[in-house]
Amino acid sequence: MSRTRFAPSPTGMLHVGGLRTALFNYLYAKKNEGTFILRIEDTDRERYEEGTEENILKTLDWAKLNPDEGVTLEGEKGDKKPYHQSERLDVYKKAIDKLLESKNAYYAFDTTEELNRMREEEKKAGNPAPKYDISMRMRMKNSLTLSEEEVKNKIDAGDEYVIRLKVPDNHTVKVFDEIRGALEFKSSSIDDAVLLKSDGFPTYHLANIVDDNAMDIDMVIRGEEWLPSLPKHVLLYEAFGWNMPKFAHVPLLLNPSGGKLSKRQGDVSVSDFIERGYLPEVMINFLALLGWNPGTTDEIFSLDELIEKFSLDRVQKGGAIFDTEKLDWLQGQWIRKFTPKEFAERIQPIVAKEFPDARKDSKFVEKAQLIQDRITFFKEASEMLSFFYLDPKVDLELIASKKQKVTKDMVADIVSMLIETLEKISTWNEETIKESIIKLAKEKELKNGQVLWPLRAILTGLPYSPGAFEVAEVLGKDETLKRLAKALELVKK
Ligand code: GLU
């Protein structure tokens, strides 16, 4: 049994890296018969963006990564309520009091101007990255330098203050990361992080630790960008005297040129991918392989298969390249994987939106079969099947083809020959059609393409479509001949 959590901040639409973090937490929990929890970390009121929490929940639902506990589409679920940090201020207040009492935290009254001045002076003195830390805190205005009475007077007078973590002197923070192994951080490299802001809201560090403890989280899986925060978190656990969960920091997502994946290079929000027609199965399969590998050459995994195979020791340390070519390839693989019936069921409503006749079409599965190997997105289906539901335009520019060595002058003769040949077929199917057309080409000393291309172009009106024989079979003999006759009439004019 394990308890994992996904703890997004509602500061933007859920991005692909976030969905991968959610997935890894979900897989770990399911693998260990545990609980996957969703907590909303909404303490940063300045960066809060309306509507993004809903986007996060809906996207998780789309991906079938619904939380077992915490914030869900049906409201809050579980006995550790509330799961929105903005509703837990009293919990953080109690935690802060505990830290103040044990002298692991202190009040700091420095104004923004004073902090800026300190940084300027330090920089001038040759310290390139000044921070509020052990070496600095005794020069600042805080409860370590002011008397108890002065502190009380300031608070009573309503002076603004923050509460900071008192990082211990000469201490080495030791922590084990499930992906990176044993890590050590010198306390001199850690700043006295703000834990409670002047607006009374906790910072991420405090709220995150207090809640992971209160919600009995035993495995924290999150992006590598949180690694620099880890020593502060460990110090907080030490200060509270709480047991630590395990930690796993998953590798950054990189663009194909090796840089950090960012909005500037294109789509990073999952909603953009949904809109473009990627299937949830594909996105999950793709994201699982960003940083994790099964140890075999297999690449196609359903969510259930991932639960069975997933383990953190197969997650790499180095960055994972977000390769959209691979994503498209996977989408193709998944589309081919559906049974003919499943595939037809998925595309029927899409095609029917444009061609209502498709809804009650008894031959729809057969028609859909013609394109299952040819499309990457379901939305391509309507155009690819359009010729079944409307009379295609006879387009001489398309029927004649330089590549296939069919000139415009040749078209009428070829179409006449096709009509003559196809009329004679008594058992109408792909094989018999193929046989007679290949025979025809041979007799007339034409290349196969010189006969096939015009046939396909007339039957479908499309530059890219399923093959001529299969299309003719599904259209039926009468319709095929009707279309050829109409084309002949038009090209003769
Ligand atoms: N609220 C943080 C985020 O937005 C959570 C980081 C963590 O998992 O500790 O990603």
Side-chain angles (χ1 to χ4, degrees), residues 8-67:
S9 300
T11 52
M13 309 259 266
L14 184 62
H15 59 86
V16 284
L19 187 60
R20 186 197 50 175
T21 300
L23 172 65
F24 283 14
N25 277 289
Y26 175 92
L27 293 176
Y28 187 89
K30 297 294 150 184
K31 173 111 201 171
N32 295 288
E33 282 141 36
T35 309
F36 171 58
I37 298 154
L38 181 72
R39 181 172 73 226
I40 296 290
E41 301 209 326
D42 54 353
T43 57
D44 190 341
R45 304 318 284 173
E46 273 162 38
R47 292 180 57 224
Y48 180 82
E49 226 186 273
E50 196 66 45
T52 54
E53 177 179 327
E54 199 189 353
N55 173 266
I56 292 167
L57 290 175
K58 287 198 168 151
T59 308
L60 290 177
D61 184 55
W62 171 82
K64 304 201 172 53
L65 301 182
N66 286 306

Short mmCIF file of all heavy atoms in Angstrom, two decimals, residues 8-67:
data_model
loop_
_atom_site.label_atom_id
_atom_site.label_comp_id
_atom_site.label_asym_id
_atom_site.label_seq_id
_atom_site.Cartn_x
_atom_site.Cartn_y
_atom_site.Cartn_z
N PRO A 8 -0.66 19.81 -8.30
CA PRO A 8 -0.46 20.95 -9.20
C PRO A 8 -0.93 22.27 -8.60
O PRO A 8 -1.78 22.28 -7.71
CB PRO A 8 -1.33 20.60 -10.41
CG PRO A 8 -2.43 19.76 -9.84
CD PRO A 8 -1.82 18.98 -8.71
N SER A 9 -0.37 23.35 -9.11
CA SER A 9 -0.83 24.69 -8.74
C SER A 9 -1.72 25.18 -9.87
O SER A 9 -1.36 25.02 -11.03
CB SER A 9 0.36 25.63 -8.58
OG SER A 9 1.20 25.13 -7.57
N PRO A 10 -2.85 25.76 -9.55
CA PRO A 10 -3.76 26.22 -10.62
C PRO A 10 -3.29 27.54 -11.22
O PRO A 10 -3.96 28.56 -11.11
CB PRO A 10 -5.10 26.35 -9.90
CG PRO A 10 -4.75 26.60 -8.47
CD PRO A 10 -3.42 25.98 -8.21
N THR A 11 -2.11 27.50 -11.83
CA THR A 11 -1.53 28.73 -12.38
C THR A 11 -1.48 28.68 -13.90
O THR A 11 -0.94 29.58 -14.53
CB THR A 11 -0.10 28.93 -11.84
OG1 THR A 11 0.63 27.72 -12.07
CG2 THR A 11 -0.11 29.22 -10.35
N GLY A 12 -2.00 27.62 -14.50
CA GLY A 12 -1.98 27.50 -15.96
C GLY A 12 -2.62 26.19 -16.35
O GLY A 12 -2.88 25.35 -15.49
N MET A 13 -2.84 26.03 -17.66
CA MET A 13 -3.42 24.78 -18.15
C MET A 13 -2.45 23.63 -17.86
O MET A 13 -1.24 23.85 -17.87
CB MET A 13 -3.60 24.87 -19.67
CG MET A 13 -4.32 26.11 -20.09
SD MET A 13 -6.00 25.73 -20.43
CE MET A 13 -5.88 25.45 -22.19
N LEU A 14 -2.97 22.45 -17.66
CA LEU A 14 -2.09 21.32 -17.36
C LEU A 14 -1.17 21.07 -18.56
O LEU A 14 -1.61 20.92 -19.69
CB LEU A 14 -2.92 20.06 -17.08
CG LEU A 14 -2.10 18.84 -16.66
CD1 LEU A 14 -1.36 19.09 -15.36
CD2 LEU A 14 -2.98 17.60 -16.52
N HIS A 15 0.14 21.05 -18.30
CA HIS A 15 1.06 20.83 -19.41
C HIS A 15 1.53 19.39 -19.45
O HIS A 15 1.28 18.61 -18.52
CB HIS A 15 2.21 21.84 -19.39
CG HIS A 15 3.04 21.79 -18.15
ND1 HIS A 15 4.10 20.93 -18.00
CD2 HIS A 15 2.94 22.50 -17.01
CE1 HIS A 15 4.62 21.11 -16.80
NE2 HIS A 15 3.94 22.05 -16.18
N VAL A 16 2.19 19.03 -20.54
CA VAL A 16 2.54 17.62 -20.75
C VAL A 16 3.43 17.08 -19.63
O VAL A 16 3.28 15.93 -19.22
CB VAL A 16 3.19 17.40 -22.14
CG1 VAL A 16 2.13 17.43 -23.22
CG2 VAL A 16 4.29 18.41 -22.42
N GLY A 17 4.33 17.93 -19.12
CA GLY A 17 5.19 17.48 -18.02
C GLY A 17 4.37 17.18 -16.77
O GLY A 17 4.63 16.21 -16.05
N GLY A 18 3.36 17.99 -16.54
CA GLY A 18 2.48 17.77 -15.38
C GLY A 18 1.72 16.46 -15.53
O GLY A 18 1.59 15.69 -14.57
N LEU A 19 1.24 16.20 -16.73
CA LEU A 19 0.48 14.96 -16.94
C LEU A 19 1.40 13.75 -16.74
O LEU A 19 1.00 12.73 -16.20
CB LEU A 19 -0.15 14.94 -18.34
CG LEU A 19 -1.09 13.76 -18.61
CD1 LEU A 19 -2.27 13.75 -17.63
CD2 LEU A 19 -1.64 13.79 -20.04
N ARG A 20 2.67 13.90 -17.16
CA ARG A 20 3.60 12.78 -16.94
C ARG A 20 3.82 12.56 -15.44
O ARG A 20 3.85 11.42 -14.97
CB ARG A 20 4.94 13.02 -17.64
CG ARG A 20 5.81 11.77 -17.50
CD ARG A 20 7.26 12.04 -17.79
NE ARG A 20 7.75 13.19 -17.05
CZ ARG A 20 9.01 13.56 -17.05
NH1 ARG A 20 9.89 12.88 -17.77
NH2 ARG A 20 9.41 14.61 -16.36
N THR A 21 3.98 13.65 -14.68
CA THR A 21 4.14 13.50 -13.23
C THR A 21 2.93 12.79 -12.63
O THR A 21 3.05 11.89 -11.80
CB THR A 21 4.33 14.88 -12.57
OG1 THR A 21 5.49 15.48 -13.13
CG2 THR A 21 4.50 14.77 -11.07
N ALA A 22 1.74 13.23 -13.06
CA ALA A 22 0.51 12.60 -12.55
C ALA A 22 0.52 11.11 -12.91
O ALA A 22 0.21 10.26 -12.07
CB ALA A 22 -0.72 13.28 -13.16
N LEU A 23 0.90 10.80 -14.14
CA LEU A 23 0.91 9.41 -14.59
C LEU A 23 1.84 8.55 -13.73
O LEU A 23 1.48 7.47 -13.29
CB LEU A 23 1.35 9.36 -16.07
CG LEU A 23 1.60 7.97 -16.65
CD1 LEU A 23 0.30 7.16 -16.69
CD2 LEU A 23 2.19 8.05 -18.06
N PHE A 24 3.06 9.05 -13.50
CA PHE A 24 4.02 8.25 -12.73
C PHE A 24 3.50 8.02 -11.30
O PHE A 24 3.64 6.95 -10.74
CB PHE A 24 5.41 8.91 -12.71
CG PHE A 24 6.18 8.72 -14.01
CD1 PHE A 24 5.57 8.29 -15.16
CD2 PHE A 24 7.55 8.99 -14.07
CE1 PHE A 24 6.26 8.11 -16.35
CE2 PHE A 24 8.28 8.81 -15.26
CZ PHE A 24 7.63 8.39 -16.40
N ASN A 25 2.88 9.05 -10.72
CA ASN A 25 2.31 8.89 -9.38
C ASN A 25 1.16 7.89 -9.39
O ASN A 25 1.03 7.06 -8.49
CB ASN A 25 1.80 10.25 -8.85
CG ASN A 25 2.92 11.07 -8.23
OD1 ASN A 25 3.42 10.74 -7.16
ND2 ASN A 25 3.34 12.11 -8.91
N TYR A 26 0.34 7.99 -10.43
CA TYR A 26 -0.80 7.08 -10.58
C TYR A 26 -0.29 5.64 -10.72
O TYR A 26 -0.76 4.73 -10.03
CB TYR A 26 -1.60 7.50 -11.82
CG TYR A 26 -2.75 6.58 -12.16
CD1 TYR A 26 -4.03 6.83 -11.66
CD2 TYR A 26 -2.58 5.48 -13.00
CE1 TYR A 26 -5.09 6.00 -11.97
CE2 TYR A 26 -3.64 4.64 -13.31
CZ TYR A 26 -4.88 4.91 -12.80
OH TYR A 26 -5.93 4.08 -13.11
N LEU A 27 0.69 5.44 -11.60
CA LEU A 27 1.21 4.09 -11.85
C LEU A 27 1.82 3.50 -10.58
O LEU A 27 1.59 2.34 -10.25
CB LEU A 27 2.26 4.11 -12.97
CG LEU A 27 1.76 4.47 -14.37
CD1 LEU A 27 2.92 4.54 -15.35
CD2 LEU A 27 0.71 3.47 -14.85
N TYR A 28 2.59 4.33 -9.88
CA TYR A 28 3.23 3.84 -8.66
C TYR A 28 2.17 3.41 -7.64
O TYR A 28 2.27 2.35 -7.03
CB TYR A 28 4.15 4.92 -8.07
CG TYR A 28 4.97 4.40 -6.92
CD1 TYR A 28 6.23 3.83 -7.13
CD2 TYR A 28 4.48 4.45 -5.62
CE1 TYR A 28 6.97 3.33 -6.08
CE2 TYR A 28 5.22 3.95 -4.56
CZ TYR A 28 6.46 3.39 -4.79
OH TYR A 28 7.19 2.89 -3.75
N ALA A 29 1.15 4.26 -7.49
CA ALA A 29 0.10 3.93 -6.51
C ALA A 29 -0.61 2.64 -6.91
O ALA A 29 -0.81 1.75 -6.09
CB ALA A 29 -0.90 5.08 -6.41
N LYS A 30 -1.00 2.54 -8.18
CA LYS A 30 -1.77 1.37 -8.63
C LYS A 30 -0.94 0.10 -8.54
O LYS A 30 -1.42 -0.96 -8.18
CB LYS A 30 -2.28 1.55 -10.06
CG LYS A 30 -3.24 2.70 -10.22
CD LYS A 30 -4.55 2.45 -9.47
CE LYS A 30 -5.15 3.74 -9.01
NZ LYS A 30 -6.34 3.62 -8.21
N LYS A 31 0.32 0.23 -8.88
CA LYS A 31 1.23 -0.91 -8.82
C LYS A 31 1.32 -1.44 -7.38
O LYS A 31 1.48 -2.62 -7.14
CB LYS A 31 2.60 -0.45 -9.31
CG LYS A 31 3.70 -1.43 -9.18
CD LYS A 31 4.12 -1.90 -10.53
CE LYS A 31 4.83 -3.22 -10.39
NZ LYS A 31 5.06 -3.83 -11.67
N ASN A 32 1.25 -0.52 -6.43
CA ASN A 32 1.40 -0.91 -5.03
C ASN A 32 0.07 -0.95 -4.28
O ASN A 32 0.03 -0.76 -3.07
CB ASN A 32 2.37 0.06 -4.33
CG ASN A 32 3.76 -0.06 -4.91
OD1 ASN A 32 4.45 -1.04 -4.67
ND2 ASN A 32 4.16 0.91 -5.71
N GLU A 33 -0.98 -1.21 -5.03
CA GLU A 33 -2.34 -1.27 -4.46
C GLU A 33 -2.62 -0.10 -3.55
O GLU A 33 -3.18 -0.25 -2.46
CB GLU A 33 -2.55 -2.59 -3.72
CG GLU A 33 -2.81 -3.74 -4.67
CD GLU A 33 -2.15 -5.01 -4.23
OE1 GLU A 33 -2.09 -5.24 -3.01
OE2 GLU A 33 -1.68 -5.75 -5.10
N GLY A 34 -2.16 1.05 -3.97
CA GLY A 34 -2.27 2.22 -3.09
C GLY A 34 -3.30 3.22 -3.54
O GLY A 34 -4.24 2.90 -4.27
N THR A 35 -3.11 4.46 -3.10
CA THR A 35 -4.09 5.52 -3.34
C THR A 35 -3.41 6.68 -4.04
O THR A 35 -2.33 7.13 -3.63
CB THR A 35 -4.65 6.01 -1.98
OG1 THR A 35 -5.07 4.85 -1.25
CG2 THR A 35 -5.81 6.95 -2.16
N PHE A 36 -4.06 7.14 -5.09
CA PHE A 36 -3.55 8.28 -5.85
C PHE A 36 -4.39 9.50 -5.47
O PHE A 36 -5.60 9.50 -5.61
CB PHE A 36 -3.65 7.97 -7.34
CG PHE A 36 -3.36 9.13 -8.26
CD1 PHE A 36 -2.14 9.80 -8.19
CD2 PHE A 36 -4.29 9.54 -9.20
CE1 PHE A 36 -1.87 10.87 -9.03
CE2 PHE A 36 -4.03 10.61 -10.05
CZ PHE A 36 -2.81 11.27 -9.97
N ILE A 37 -3.71 10.52 -4.94
CA ILE A 37 -4.41 11.67 -4.36
C ILE A 37 -4.15 12.92 -5.20
O ILE A 37 -3.04 13.13 -5.70
CB ILE A 37 -3.91 11.89 -2.91
CG1 ILE A 37 -4.26 10.65 -2.08
CG2 ILE A 37 -4.49 13.16 -2.29
CD1 ILE A 37 -3.37 10.43 -0.90
N LEU A 38 -5.17 13.74 -5.33
CA LEU A 38 -4.97 15.02 -6.00
C LEU A 38 -5.16 16.16 -5.01
O LEU A 38 -6.21 16.30 -4.39
CB LEU A 38 -5.94 15.20 -7.17
CG LEU A 38 -5.73 16.52 -7.92
CD1 LEU A 38 -4.45 16.50 -8.73
CD2 LEU A 38 -6.90 16.85 -8.83
N ARG A 39 -4.10 16.94 -4.87
CA ARG A 39 -4.15 18.10 -3.97
C ARG A 39 -3.92 19.36 -4.80
O ARG A 39 -3.06 19.37 -5.67
CB ARG A 39 -3.05 17.96 -2.91
CG ARG A 39 -3.05 19.10 -1.91
CD ARG A 39 -2.08 18.83 -0.78
NE ARG A 39 -0.70 18.98 -1.16
CZ ARG A 39 0.27 18.12 -0.86
NH1 ARG A 39 0.01 17.01 -0.18
NH2 ARG A 39 1.51 18.35 -1.24
N ILE A 40 -4.70 20.37 -4.54
CA ILE A 40 -4.53 21.61 -5.30
C ILE A 40 -3.73 22.61 -4.46
O ILE A 40 -4.14 22.99 -3.36
CB ILE A 40 -5.91 22.21 -5.69
CG1 ILE A 40 -6.66 21.24 -6.64
CG2 ILE A 40 -5.76 23.59 -6.32
CD1 ILE A 40 -6.09 21.11 -8.05
N GLU A 41 -2.57 22.98 -4.97
CA GLU A 41 -1.67 23.87 -4.23
C GLU A 41 -1.91 25.31 -4.69
O GLU A 41 -1.22 25.82 -5.57
CB GLU A 41 -0.22 23.42 -4.42
CG GLU A 41 -0.04 21.98 -3.94
CD GLU A 41 1.34 21.64 -3.42
OE1 GLU A 41 2.33 22.18 -3.95
OE2 GLU A 41 1.43 20.83 -2.48
N ASP A 42 -2.89 25.93 -4.08
CA ASP A 42 -3.34 27.24 -4.55
C ASP A 42 -3.04 28.35 -3.53
O ASP A 42 -3.91 29.16 -3.22
CB ASP A 42 -4.85 27.19 -4.86
CG ASP A 42 -5.66 26.68 -3.68
OD1 ASP A 42 -5.06 26.25 -2.68
OD2 ASP A 42 -6.90 26.70 -3.75
N THR A 43 -1.82 28.34 -3.02
CA THR A 43 -1.51 29.37 -2.02
C THR A 43 -0.87 30.61 -2.65
O THR A 43 -0.74 31.64 -2.01
CB THR A 43 -0.55 28.85 -0.93
OG1 THR A 43 0.64 28.38 -1.57
CG2 THR A 43 -1.19 27.75 -0.13
N ASP A 44 -0.47 30.49 -3.91
CA ASP A 44 0.12 31.65 -4.56
C ASP A 44 -1.01 32.42 -5.25
O ASP A 44 -1.37 32.15 -6.39
CB ASP A 44 1.18 31.20 -5.58
CG ASP A 44 1.98 32.36 -6.12
OD1 ASP A 44 1.49 33.52 -5.99
OD2 ASP A 44 3.07 32.14 -6.66
N ARG A 45 -1.57 33.39 -4.52
CA ARG A 45 -2.75 34.08 -5.03
C ARG A 45 -2.43 34.96 -6.24
O ARG A 45 -3.31 35.27 -7.04
CB ARG A 45 -3.41 34.94 -3.93
CG ARG A 45 -3.80 34.18 -2.68
CD ARG A 45 -4.44 32.84 -2.93
NE ARG A 45 -5.83 32.88 -3.38
CZ ARG A 45 -6.52 31.83 -3.78
NH1 ARG A 45 -5.96 30.64 -3.81
NH2 ARG A 45 -7.76 31.95 -4.16
N GLU A 46 -1.17 35.39 -6.35
CA GLU A 46 -0.84 36.26 -7.48
C GLU A 46 -0.81 35.51 -8.80
O GLU A 46 -1.15 36.03 -9.85
CB GLU A 46 0.52 36.93 -7.25
CG GLU A 46 0.37 38.20 -6.46
CD GLU A 46 1.67 38.66 -5.84
OE1 GLU A 46 2.72 38.52 -6.51
OE2 GLU A 46 1.63 39.14 -4.70
N ARG A 47 -0.38 34.24 -8.74
CA ARG A 47 -0.26 33.48 -9.99
C ARG A 47 -1.51 32.64 -10.30
O ARG A 47 -1.57 31.97 -11.31
CB ARG A 47 0.99 32.60 -9.94
CG ARG A 47 2.27 33.45 -9.97
CD ARG A 47 3.51 32.59 -9.92
NE ARG A 47 3.55 31.63 -11.00
CZ ARG A 47 3.90 30.35 -10.84
NH1 ARG A 47 4.22 29.89 -9.66
NH2 ARG A 47 3.93 29.55 -11.87
N TYR A 48 -2.49 32.71 -9.40
CA TYR A 48 -3.72 31.93 -9.57
C TYR A 48 -4.43 32.31 -10.88
O TYR A 48 -4.56 33.48 -11.21
CB TYR A 48 -4.65 32.19 -8.38
CG TYR A 48 -5.94 31.45 -8.46
CD1 TYR A 48 -6.02 30.12 -8.06
CD2 TYR A 48 -7.11 32.05 -8.95
CE1 TYR A 48 -7.22 29.41 -8.15
CE2 TYR A 48 -8.31 31.36 -9.03
CZ TYR A 48 -8.35 30.04 -8.64
OH TYR A 48 -9.52 29.35 -8.73
N GLU A 49 -4.87 31.30 -11.62
CA GLU A 49 -5.57 31.58 -12.88
C GLU A 49 -6.91 30.86 -12.89
O GLU A 49 -6.95 29.62 -12.82
CB GLU A 49 -4.71 31.12 -14.06
CG GLU A 49 -4.64 32.13 -15.17
CD GLU A 49 -3.90 31.58 -16.37
OE1 GLU A 49 -2.64 31.70 -16.38
OE2 GLU A 49 -4.54 31.00 -17.24
N GLU A 50 -7.94 31.62 -13.01
CA GLU A 50 -9.31 31.10 -13.02
C GLU A 50 -9.47 30.02 -14.11
O GLU A 50 -8.99 30.17 -15.23
CB GLU A 50 -10.24 32.30 -13.34
CG GLU A 50 -11.70 32.09 -13.04
CD GLU A 50 -12.00 31.94 -11.56
OE1 GLU A 50 -11.46 32.73 -10.77
OE2 GLU A 50 -12.78 31.03 -11.22
N GLY A 51 -10.14 28.95 -13.76
CA GLY A 51 -10.45 27.93 -14.79
C GLY A 51 -9.40 26.85 -14.95
O GLY A 51 -9.64 25.82 -15.58
N THR A 52 -8.21 27.08 -14.38
CA THR A 52 -7.16 26.10 -14.64
C THR A 52 -7.34 24.84 -13.79
O THR A 52 -6.94 23.76 -14.20
CB THR A 52 -5.75 26.69 -14.45
OG1 THR A 52 -5.68 27.27 -13.14
CG2 THR A 52 -5.46 27.77 -15.47
N GLU A 53 -7.97 24.99 -12.63
CA GLU A 53 -8.21 23.78 -11.81
C GLU A 53 -9.15 22.84 -12.57
O GLU A 53 -8.94 21.63 -12.62
CB GLU A 53 -8.83 24.18 -10.46
CG GLU A 53 -9.16 22.96 -9.63
CD GLU A 53 -9.74 23.32 -8.26
OE1 GLU A 53 -9.35 24.35 -7.70
OE2 GLU A 53 -10.59 22.56 -7.78
N GLU A 54 -10.16 23.42 -13.17
CA GLU A 54 -11.11 22.61 -13.94
C GLU A 54 -10.39 21.94 -15.12
O GLU A 54 -10.63 20.78 -15.44
CB GLU A 54 -12.22 23.52 -14.45
CG GLU A 54 -13.44 22.73 -14.83
CD GLU A 54 -14.48 23.58 -15.55
OE1 GLU A 54 -14.30 24.81 -15.62
OE2 GLU A 54 -15.45 22.98 -16.03
N ASN A 55 -9.50 22.70 -15.74
CA ASN A 55 -8.74 22.14 -16.85
C ASN A 55 -7.89 20.95 -16.39
O ASN A 55 -7.82 19.91 -17.06
CB ASN A 55 -7.85 23.24 -17.47
CG ASN A 55 -6.91 22.69 -18.52
OD1 ASN A 55 -5.76 22.36 -18.23
ND2 ASN A 55 -7.40 22.54 -19.74
N ILE A 56 -7.29 21.07 -15.22
CA ILE A 56 -6.46 19.99 -14.68
C ILE A 56 -7.34 18.75 -14.43
O ILE A 56 -7.01 17.64 -14.87
CB ILE A 56 -5.77 20.44 -13.36
CG1 ILE A 56 -4.73 21.53 -13.65
CG2 ILE A 56 -5.12 19.24 -12.65
CD1 ILE A 56 -4.21 22.28 -12.43
N LEU A 57 -8.48 18.95 -13.79
CA LEU A 57 -9.37 17.81 -13.47
C LEU A 57 -9.90 17.15 -14.73
O LEU A 57 -9.93 15.92 -14.85
CB LEU A 57 -10.54 18.28 -12.61
CG LEU A 57 -10.19 18.70 -11.18
CD1 LEU A 57 -11.40 19.26 -10.48
CD2 LEU A 57 -9.65 17.50 -10.40
N LYS A 58 -10.32 17.97 -15.68
CA LYS A 58 -10.89 17.40 -16.92
C LYS A 58 -9.83 16.67 -17.73
O LYS A 58 -10.12 15.65 -18.36
CB LYS A 58 -11.53 18.50 -17.76
CG LYS A 58 -12.84 18.97 -17.13
CD LYS A 58 -13.68 19.71 -18.14
CE LYS A 58 -15.09 19.90 -17.60
NZ LYS A 58 -15.72 21.10 -18.12
N THR A 59 -8.63 17.21 -17.72
CA THR A 59 -7.57 16.56 -18.48
C THR A 59 -7.20 15.21 -17.84
O THR A 59 -6.99 14.22 -18.55
CB THR A 59 -6.33 17.48 -18.57
OG1 THR A 59 -6.74 18.74 -19.05
CG2 THR A 59 -5.28 16.91 -19.50
N LEU A 60 -7.14 15.17 -16.53
CA LEU A 60 -6.86 13.90 -15.85
C LEU A 60 -7.97 12.89 -16.16
O LEU A 60 -7.70 11.71 -16.38
CB LEU A 60 -6.74 14.09 -14.33
CG LEU A 60 -5.50 14.85 -13.85
CD1 LEU A 60 -5.56 15.02 -12.33
CD2 LEU A 60 -4.21 14.13 -14.24
N ASP A 61 -9.20 13.37 -16.21
CA ASP A 61 -10.33 12.50 -16.52
C ASP A 61 -10.22 11.98 -17.95
O ASP A 61 -10.43 10.80 -18.21
CB ASP A 61 -11.62 13.31 -16.33
CG ASP A 61 -12.85 12.46 -16.54
OD1 ASP A 61 -12.96 11.43 -15.86
OD2 ASP A 61 -13.70 12.83 -17.38
N TRP A 62 -9.85 12.85 -18.86
CA TRP A 62 -9.65 12.46 -20.27
C TRP A 62 -8.60 11.35 -20.37
O TRP A 62 -8.77 10.37 -21.09
CB TRP A 62 -9.21 13.70 -21.07
CG TRP A 62 -8.77 13.43 -22.47
CD1 TRP A 62 -9.56 13.28 -23.58
CD2 TRP A 62 -7.41 13.31 -22.95
NE1 TRP A 62 -8.77 13.07 -24.69
CE2 TRP A 62 -7.47 13.09 -24.33
CE3 TRP A 62 -6.15 13.38 -22.32
CZ2 TRP A 62 -6.32 12.92 -25.11
CZ3 TRP A 62 -5.01 13.21 -23.09
CH2 TRP A 62 -5.10 12.99 -24.47
N ALA A 63 -7.54 11.50 -19.57
CA ALA A 63 -6.44 10.52 -19.61
C ALA A 63 -6.73 9.28 -18.77
O ALA A 63 -5.93 8.37 -18.70
CB ALA A 63 -5.14 11.19 -19.14
N LYS A 64 -7.87 9.27 -18.12
CA LYS A 64 -8.28 8.17 -17.23
C LYS A 64 -7.36 8.02 -16.02
O LYS A 64 -7.09 6.93 -15.54
CB LYS A 64 -8.42 6.85 -17.98
CG LYS A 64 -9.38 6.96 -19.14
CD LYS A 64 -9.92 5.63 -19.58
CE LYS A 64 -11.02 5.79 -20.61
NZ LYS A 64 -10.65 6.62 -21.78
N LEU A 65 -6.86 9.15 -15.55
CA LEU A 65 -6.02 9.14 -14.35
C LEU A 65 -6.79 9.79 -13.21
O LEU A 65 -6.32 10.72 -12.56
CB LEU A 65 -4.71 9.91 -14.59
CG LEU A 65 -3.80 9.44 -15.72
CD1 LEU A 65 -2.54 10.29 -15.78
CD2 LEU A 65 -3.42 7.98 -15.53
N ASN A 66 -8.01 9.33 -13.00
CA ASN A 66 -8.82 9.97 -11.96
C ASN A 66 -8.30 9.66 -10.57
O ASN A 66 -7.96 8.52 -10.27
CB ASN A 66 -10.27 9.54 -12.11
CG ASN A 66 -10.92 10.23 -13.29
OD1 ASN A 66 -10.89 11.45 -13.39
ND2 ASN A 66 -11.42 9.45 -14.23
N PRO A 67 -8.23 10.70 -9.73
CA PRO A 67 -7.72 10.47 -8.37
C PRO A 67 -8.68 9.61 -7.53
O PRO A 67 -9.90 9.68 -7.70
CB PRO A 67 -7.60 11.87 -7.79
CG PRO A 67 -8.35 12.78 -8.70
CD PRO A 67 -8.48 12.11 -10.02
#
